[in-house]
């Protein structure tokens, strides 16, 4: 089920101004936290008037939702391409792990907004994050299920539990990285270790 952004689409609106607002919001949310951030602070960081924010977004919640949706939808698009590729099943799982962590290694503020700020609102998590999370699980589980059918992965494992476990591991890695020093090299190393760990458990004996 696709989740569509609640951001207002205005005919003739300037995409660059909307993008500036989103980029500014990521920086301010990461610095101050979602609840402590005021719309006026986002506007100031974006170099626009306070009222301009409301030409593109309903409120502060809408800004956070849009950041999350657009970031996750970009990730899902890339992961689906990997999942549907002709690579070996092990290569697909490894590539998915590397891409998920790699996409954020140069975007520490975005990683913090997605992993930390969104958790501050259980309502937003349930209403917007859960549907996209289920799409993510479907992609990973699909690769595992196909690998099981072809004899590459163990058949005694539930594909959706494997997918949820992988998501949990990567989410925890991103969370600790985002609130820590944020060294990109640490993410790359973690991706390699995580891939080896999961593939060792999945591999058919």
């Amino acid at each position: 089920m696709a989740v569509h952004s609640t951001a207002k689409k205005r005919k003739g609106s300037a995409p660059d101004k909307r993008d500036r607002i989103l980029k500014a919001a990521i920086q301010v949310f990461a610095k101050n936290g979602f609840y402590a951030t005021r719309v006026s602070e986002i506007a100031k960081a974006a170099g626009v008037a306070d009222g301009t924010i409301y030409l593109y977004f309903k409120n502060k919640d809408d800004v956070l939702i849009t950041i999350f949706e657009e970031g996750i939808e970009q990730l899902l698009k890339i992961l689906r391409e990997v999942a549907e590729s002709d690579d070996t099943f092990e290569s697909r799982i490894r590539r998915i792990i590397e891409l998920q962590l790699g996409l954020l290694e140069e975007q520490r503020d975005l990683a913090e907004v997605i992993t930390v700020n969104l958790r501050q609102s259980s309502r937003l998590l349930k209403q917007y994050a859960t549907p996209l999370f289920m799409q993510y699980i479907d992609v990973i589980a699909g690769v595992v299920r196909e690998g099981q059918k072809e004899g590459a992965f163990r058949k005694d494992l539930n594909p959706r539990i494997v997918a949820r476990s992988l998501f949990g591991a990567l989410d925890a890695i991103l969370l600790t990285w985002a609130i820590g020093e944020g060294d990109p090299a640490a993410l790359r190393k973690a991706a390699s270790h995580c891939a080896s760990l999961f593939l060792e458990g999945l591999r058919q004996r």
Side-chain angles (χ1 to χ4, degrees), residues 107-126:
Q107 303 182 73
R108 185 174 178 274
D109 285 348
L110 177 58
E112 185 169 344
V113 170
I114 290 176
T115 59
V116 179
N117 283 258
L118 194 67
R119 281 181 165 89
Q120 296 176 11
S121 173
S122 59
R123 180 183 66 81
L124 295 183
L125 273 174
K126 291 178 182 178

Side-chain angles (χ1 to χ4, degrees), residues 70-137:
E70 293 189 358
I72 298 303
E73 285 171 355
Q74 177 191 12
L75 173 64
L76 282 170
K77 180 178 182 294
I78 295 172
L79 295 190
R80 287 190 180 105
E81 291 174 356
V82 174
E84 295 168 4
S85 72
D86 294 327
D87 291 343
T88 65
F89 297 109
E90 287 198 13
S91 294
R92 292 182 218 178
I93 293 294
R94 183 176 294 277
R95 188 66 181 138
I96 283 171
I97 292 171
E98 292 173 346
L99 282 171
Q100 182 167 341
L101 297 182
L103 284 173
L104 292 172
E105 70 177 5
E106 300 298 337
Q107 303 182 73
R108 185 174 178 274
D109 285 348
L110 177 58
E112 185 169 344
V113 170
I114 290 176
T115 59
V116 179
N117 283 258
L118 194 67
R119 281 181 165 89
Q120 296 176 11
S121 173
S122 59
R123 180 183 66 81
L124 295 183
L125 273 174
K126 291 178 182 178
Q127 188 172 354
Y128 296 99
T130 299
L132 288 172
F133 168 70
M134 296 311 296
Q135 290 184 49
Y136 173 93
I137 296 301

Side-chain angles (χ1 to χ4, degrees), residues 124-190:
L124 295 183
L125 273 174
K126 291 178 182 178
Q127 188 172 354
Y128 296 99
T130 299
L132 288 172
F133 168 70
M134 296 311 296
Q135 290 184 49
Y136 173 93
I137 296 301
D138 288 342
V139 172
I140 307 301
V143 176
V144 174
R145 191 176 295 111
E146 191 177 352
Q148 290 174 324
K149 289 180 181 178
E150 296 298 325
F153 295 148
R154 291 167 49 187
K155 295 183 179 180
D156 61 324
L157 299 175
N158 184 310
R160 296 191 71 79
I161 292 178
V162 172
R164 287 174 180 271
S165 299
L166 181 56
F167 170 82
L170 296 179
D171 183 58
I173 289 170
L174 278 173
L175 176 61
T176 54
W177 176 79
I179 62 178
E181 296 181 359
D183 177 13
L187 271 190
R188 289 190 289 272
K189 186 175 182 179

Side-chain angles (χ1 to χ4, degrees), residues 90 94 152-154 196 198-205:
E90 287 198 13
R94 183 176 294 277
F153 295 148
R154 291 167 49 187
S196 296
F198 269 85
L199 289 173
E200 182 63 27
L202 279 170
R203 195 171 291 126
Q204 182 69 275
R205 299 291 189 267

Side-chain angles (χ1 to χ4, degrees), residues 13-93:
S13 61
D16 60 328
K17 188 172 290 187
R18 178 180 180 276
D19 289 344
R20 274 165 47 203
I21 292 170
L22 290 175
K23 289 177 182 177
I26 290 170
Q27 294 175 348
V28 178
F29 285 153
K31 179 181 178 182
N32 300 338
F34 174 67
Y35 282 113
T37 294
R38 298 189 299 272
V39 169
S40 60
E41 292 174 315
I42 297 174
K44 182 178 180 180
V48 300
D50 292 5
T52 302
I53 303 291
Y54 298 103
L55 297 178
Y56 300 91
F57 307 97
K58 293 179 179 178
N59 48 39
K60 186 175 68 172
D61 285 9
D62 197 22
V63 177
L64 179 61
I65 291 164
T66 302
I67 291 170
F68 173 76
E69 286 184 348
E70 293 189 358
I72 298 303
E73 285 171 355
Q74 177 191 12
L75 173 64
L76 282 170
K77 180 178 182 294
I78 295 172
L79 295 190
R80 287 190 180 105
E81 291 174 356
V82 174
E84 295 168 4
S85 72
D86 294 327
D87 291 343
T88 65
F89 297 109
E90 287 198 13
S91 294
R92 292 182 218 178
I93 293 294

